[in-house]
Each structure stands twice: as structure tokens, then as C-alpha cells.
């Protein structure tokens, strides 16, 4: 019997990072399951960069570019394109990861096509539909239609059980980001040559990222905090990869361009980002992924948000919520930069995000569920009209 195709839908860089090890685990099932990678085009260039980092090539590229038309329009375009793709490919199952618009559209499209749907990194909840926006809504939507919920932590699983998901459909796996980190070894050379100009030995490096939609209007306050920290601590070098969204880039470049002690960078290739994490002293970020990656490298992270759907990073001690107020950020960072005891106190916990075998557990659970499910019809040899023009690499 040919392997059952499992469609992995990738719209953004975090989805590539967290589903790449799942693709590897599916390939390792001895011919039982086979990954079928579909990219939506939500974040084109950054997804391509991440795919190269993991040696992945998409089987189908939908090319639905993320324009300024808005979230609803992007959702509609992705759902329509995926509906045609699923009709042609007829995968045995669809896997989505996290909380992106691509993931939500894929979930609804898979549901409409009566396909088995698995949600990787299921059950995260902040409790606020506005933070993170629109990710909290996307997660809840996916949770309504998923058949299998792969929760990264026990707390995430408990969220799902409280919402009425059956215990037989929830599996605590750990977070696949830990699996991904183990696929990316340390490197001596950076892909970005500007990183070789950093004096890693003599300066304390602070990695800073800020891009969340709900923080756009607060970016000037965050930038002001960075300016004050750079002035207060001359031995710091703040590395700031600037997100490609122009709403972010315009503010960051205007506020931080030319500031002594601040180095503005292009978005980092994933291997470079991980190497910066290995070498840095401190992380300031509103990123969800970095909240998981920082504990994996035993680095303290000050979270530039008012709430988080990853409370484990707080209870483990690695993270502190500081929001976006200038004074609060400066005070919290200054405490860690002046007190060895305060810094060490954030590093005594245990990584709450798993042991690096989440992907193997996901592949095994998917195989078990599919063994009791009737196979979908074989692939159609005719390409539906709505799929013509889609690129097959």
C-alpha cells in the first residue's frame, strides 16, 4: 500500500520551523506516512529562507501573497486556494501549526473537505482576543474543527479539556520547536556577514525583536527604551532584526537608525538567529517563538507584551512580562544588567517545552488514528481549473 499523504500547510517562518521536524518524523515512518508540503505565500521570502535552512522543498506553492487588503481577504484567498489543492491531492490528513491566518484558513478548508485535521501546538490561550491579535482567535477557531490536538504542555492540554475537547483527541507531545533546535547545530560562521563585525567577546549582546500587530502603536515607546539602555550601558550592543512589515520597519529605522550601541539588521536566517541566541546575554521580544527558544538556550527573556499564551515561560522563571512602557522595560532590563543574582535567578528553572521528541509522538499518533480511517480517493489526474497556474516545484 502506498504511504498515506499528510499535507503540511506552511504560511509563515514559525510554521516551517515547527513543522520541519514533523516532516522528518513522517518520512521516518517506514513508508506508512509521507509529508506533502504546501506553502501559502503568506510570508513568501521568509518562508523560502526557512525552508532552505531545513533542506525542505514545497510540493505545491499556492502563491497567495499577503497584501494590505486585510486579514479577512487573506483568509478567503488561502482557504479558496487550499480547497482546490485538497480536492486535487486528497491527502489522508492535514496538519497545521500554531495560530496564523494560513493555519486557520487551512483548518476550515480541511474541515469543509472532510479531511482528518491535526493541530500542532494546540491549546495555547491568552484569554484575550486582542492579544495576540488575531492569533488568539485563530487558535480557538482551529480548536473547534481539529480532530487531533497536539498540545505542547500539560497546561495547554488542560485548556482544551476545559473547552470540551475529548481526552482521547488530546496528546501532550512537547513543543516541536525543541526538535527543530536539535536539527540546527551551532555554527562558527554567520550567513549574515554583518554579524561578524559584532565584538562578541567584549560586549554584552541583547537580542531584540518587536513586530506584533497589537504593539504597532507602542513601538515608539519600545524604541525609546532601547535608546535609554544603550546610553546607560556603553558595553551593550543591541541587535535588532527589523521585521519586513513596513508598519514596523518605518518606526524602528526612524527611531533607532544611527543610535550608538544599536545595530539594525535584516531579518535573520534561522540558523543565524539561533547562533545569536546561543551567544547573547539577554532577549527582549514580543515573539511567541522566542519565548520558547530562549529557555532552550537558558537565556532570560523580557516579554514585550501585556499577557502571554505561553505562561510556562513565566512559571519556569525564564521569562518576565514587561509590556511596552518605556520606564518598565528600562527598569527590568537594568536590573538584570546590574545584578548577577537577579540574572542567575531567571536561569534556574527547567525548560518547560519538552524533550525534543514531540515530532515522533505526533507522527505515531497520526498513524494510529489513520489506521482506523478509510483512505480517501486516489489522486485525480485532472487539475481543477482553479488550480491551474499554481506552481509545482
Amino acid at each position: 500500500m502506498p504511504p498515506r499523504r499528510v499535507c503540511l500547510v506552511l504560511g509563515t517562518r514559525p510554521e516551517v520551523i515547527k513543522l520541519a521536524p514533523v516532516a522528518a518524523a513522517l518520512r521516518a515512518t517506514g513508508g506508512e506516512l509521507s509529508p506533502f508540503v504546501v506553502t501559502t505565500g503568506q510570508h513568501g521570502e521568509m518562508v523560502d529562507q526557512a525552508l532552505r535552512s531545513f533542506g525542505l522543498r514545497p510540493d505545491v506553492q499556492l502563491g497567495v501573497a499577503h497584501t494590505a487588503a486585510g486579514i479577512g481577504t487573506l483568509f478567503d484567498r488561502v482557504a479558496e486556494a487550499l480547497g482546490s489543492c485538497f480536492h486535487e491531492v486528497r491527502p489522508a490528513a492535514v496538519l497545521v501549526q500554531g495560530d496564523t491566518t494560513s493555519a486557520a484558513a487551512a483548518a476550515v478548508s480541511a474541515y469543509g473537505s472532510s479531511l482528518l485535521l491535526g493541530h500542532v501546538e494546540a491549546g495555547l490561550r491568552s484569554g484575550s482576543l486582542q492579544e495576540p491579535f488575531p492569533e488568539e482567535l485563530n487558535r480557538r477557531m482551529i480548536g473547534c474543527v481539529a480532530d487531533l490536538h497536539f498540545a505542547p504542555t500539560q497546561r495547554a492540554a488542560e485548556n482544551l479539556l476545559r473547552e470540551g475537547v475529548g481526552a482521547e483527541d488530546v496528546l501532550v507531545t512537547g513543543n516541536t520547536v525543541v526538535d527543530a533546535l536539535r536539527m540546527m547545530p551551532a555554527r562558527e560562521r554567520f550567513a549574515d556577514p554583518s554579524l561578524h563585525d559584532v565584538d562578541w567577546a567584549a560586549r554584552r549582546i541583547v537580542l531584540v525583536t518587536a513586530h506584533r500587530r497589537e504593539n504597532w502603536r507602542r513601538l515608539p515607546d519600545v524604541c525609546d527604551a532601547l535608546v535609554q539602555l544603550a546610553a546607560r550601558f556603553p558595553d551593550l550592543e543591541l541587535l535588532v532584526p527589523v521585521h519586513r512589515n513596513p508598519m514596523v520597519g518605518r518606526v524602528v529605522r526612524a527611531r533607532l537608525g544611527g543610535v550608538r550601541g544599536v545595530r539594525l539588521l535584516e531579518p535573520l536566517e534561522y540558523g543565524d538567529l539561533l547562533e545569536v541566541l546561543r551567544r547573547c546575554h539577554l532577549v527582549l521580544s514580543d515573539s511567541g517563538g522566542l519565548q520558547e527558544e530562549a529557555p532552550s538556550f537558558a537565556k532570560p527573556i523580557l516579554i514585550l507584551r501585556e499577557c502571554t499564551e505561553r505562561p510556562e515561560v513565566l512559571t519556569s522563571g525564564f521569562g518576565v512580562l514587561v509590556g511596552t512602557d518605556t520606564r518598565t522595560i528600562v527598569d527590568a532590563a537594568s536590573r538584570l544588567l546590574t545584578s548577577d543574582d537577579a540574572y542567575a535567578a531567571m536561569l534556574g528553572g527547567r525548560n518547560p517545552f519538552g524533550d525534543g521528541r514531540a515530532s515522533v509522538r505526533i507522527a505515531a499518533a497520526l498513524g494510529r488514528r489513520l489506521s482506523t480511517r478509510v483512505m480517501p480517493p486516489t489522486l485525480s489526474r485532472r487539475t481543477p481549473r482553479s488550480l491551474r497556474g499554481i506552481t509545482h516545484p
Side-chain angles (χ1 to χ4, degrees), residues 7-224:
C7 184
L8 308 180
V9 179
L10 310 175
T12 66
R13 185 170 83 164
E15 288 166 286
V16 177
I17 293 166
K18 294 181 178 183
L19 287 181
V22 178
L26 293 172
R27 285 193 296 269
T29 58
E32 179 186 357
L33 303 174
S34 174
F36 187 88
V37 177
V38 177
T39 59
T40 68
Q42 181 175 342
H43 288 172
E45 185 178 344
M46 295 181 74
V47 164
D48 292 342
Q49 183 186 75
L51 287 168
R52 290 192 297 270
S53 295
F54 288 96
L56 282 178
R57 293 190 66 220
D59 296 286
V60 169
Q61 295 172 305
L62 298 179
V64 181
H66 189 3
T67 67
I71 295 170
T73 299
L74 175 64
F75 183 100
D76 289 345
R77 290 173 179 171
V78 172
E80 181 180 10
L82 282 172
S84 297
C85 182
F86 294 158
H87 178 77
E88 178 190 10
V89 174
R90 295 306 300 174
V94 175
L95 285 181
V96 299
Q97 185 279 328
D99 53 20
T100 71
T101 300
S102 288
V108 171
S109 194
Y111 172 78
S113 300
S114 299
L115 296 171
L116 181 72
L117 175 67
H119 185 198
V120 177
E121 201 181 80
L124 275 65
R125 300 289 186 269
S126 73
S128 170
L129 287 176
Q130 300 304 314
E131 294 191 34
F133 177 89
E135 288 82 1
E136 177 79 0
L137 174 62
N138 289 339
R139 285 189 186 275
R140 296 192 199 183
M141 288 173 57
I142 298 168
C144 288
V145 296
D147 298 289
L148 287 171
H149 306 256
F150 300 116
T153 65
Q154 184 61 41
R155 190 189 296 251
E158 290 168 359
N159 290 338
L160 293 163
L161 296 175
R162 279 194 297 271
E163 293 172 3
V165 178
E168 69 278 7
D169 297 326
V170 178
L171 176 66
V172 178
T173 61
N175 198 302
T176 59
V177 75
V178 181
D179 307 30
L181 298 181
R182 296 187 177 188
M183 296 172 67
M184 303 291 291
R187 54 173 61 177
E188 294 183 4
R189 304 287 300 173
F190 291 100
D192 184 342
S194 68
L195 290 172
H196 294 296
D197 297 332
V198 177
D199 191 341
W200 299 96
R203 298 175 73 83
R204 289 187 291 177
I205 307 303
V206 179
L207 173 63
V208 184
T209 74
H211 72 281
R212 298 230 60 84
R213 186 182 295 264
E214 65 268 21
N215 279 349
W216 285 355
R217 63 184 177 82
R218 306 164 183 163
L219 275 175
D221 295 335
V222 174
C223 292
D224 288 348

Side-chain angles (χ1 to χ4, degrees), residues 221-245:
D221 295 335
V222 174
C223 292
D224 288 348
L226 302 183
V227 171
Q228 291 185 31
L229 287 171
R232 182 177 296 186
F233 299 97
D235 67 320
L236 289 188
E237 182 149 8
L238 294 101
L239 304 186
V240 186
V242 183
H243 199 275
R244 295 199 186 281
N245 191 305

Side-chain angles (χ1 to χ4, degrees), residues 195-383:
L195 290 172
H196 294 296
D197 297 332
V198 177
D199 191 341
W200 299 96
R203 298 175 73 83
R204 289 187 291 177
I205 307 303
V206 179
L207 173 63
V208 184
T209 74
H211 72 281
R212 298 230 60 84
R213 186 182 295 264
E214 65 268 21
N215 279 349
W216 285 355
R217 63 184 177 82
R218 306 164 183 163
L219 275 175
D221 295 335
V222 174
C223 292
D224 288 348
L226 302 183
V227 171
Q228 291 185 31
L229 287 171
R232 182 177 296 186
F233 299 97
D235 67 320
L236 289 188
E237 182 149 8
L238 294 101
L239 304 186
V240 186
V242 183
H243 199 275
R244 295 199 186 281
N245 191 305
M247 297 293 290
V248 175
R250 279 196 293 268
V251 175
V252 171
R253 295 186 189 283
R255 294 269 179 165
L256 298 178
V259 174
R260 184 181 178 87
V262 177
R263 185 184 296 263
L264 301 183
L265 303 167
E266 292 299 313
L268 295 178
E269 180 260 343
Y270 191 55
D272 278 358
L273 176 67
L274 296 187
E275 191 58 37
V276 171
L277 265 174
R278 286 187 180 95
R279 302 185 190 191
C280 76
H281 184 74
L282 175 65
V283 182
L284 277 66
S285 180
D286 62 8
S287 163
L290 278 170
Q291 291 178 56
E292 299 157 348
E293 290 153 345
S296 297
F297 289 99
K299 303 294 181 178
I301 178 169
L302 300 181
I303 303 166
L304 305 175
R305 290 168 55 176
E306 302 299 329
C307 61
T308 178
E309 67 278 27
R310 296 169 173 85
E312 296 87 352
V313 72
L314 308 179
T315 56
S316 66
F318 286 100
V320 176
L321 285 170
V322 297
T324 54
D325 175 73
T326 300
R327 180 184 293 274
T328 303
I329 296 170
V330 171
D331 288 348
S334 296
R335 182 167 178 265
L336 295 179
L337 293 168
T338 56
S339 170
D340 291 341
D341 290 341
Y343 185 88
M346 291 188 68
L347 305 181
R350 181 179 179 182
N351 185 354
F353 297 114
D355 60 3
R357 293 185 56 79
S359 301
V360 173
R361 298 184 183 103
I362 290 167
L366 194 58
R368 289 193 297 269
R369 181 61 63 92
L370 285 173
S371 68
T372 63
R373 186 178 174 91
V374 177
M375 281 287 289
T378 56
L379 287 176
S380 168
R381 295 185 180 275
R382 180 178 61 84
T383 302

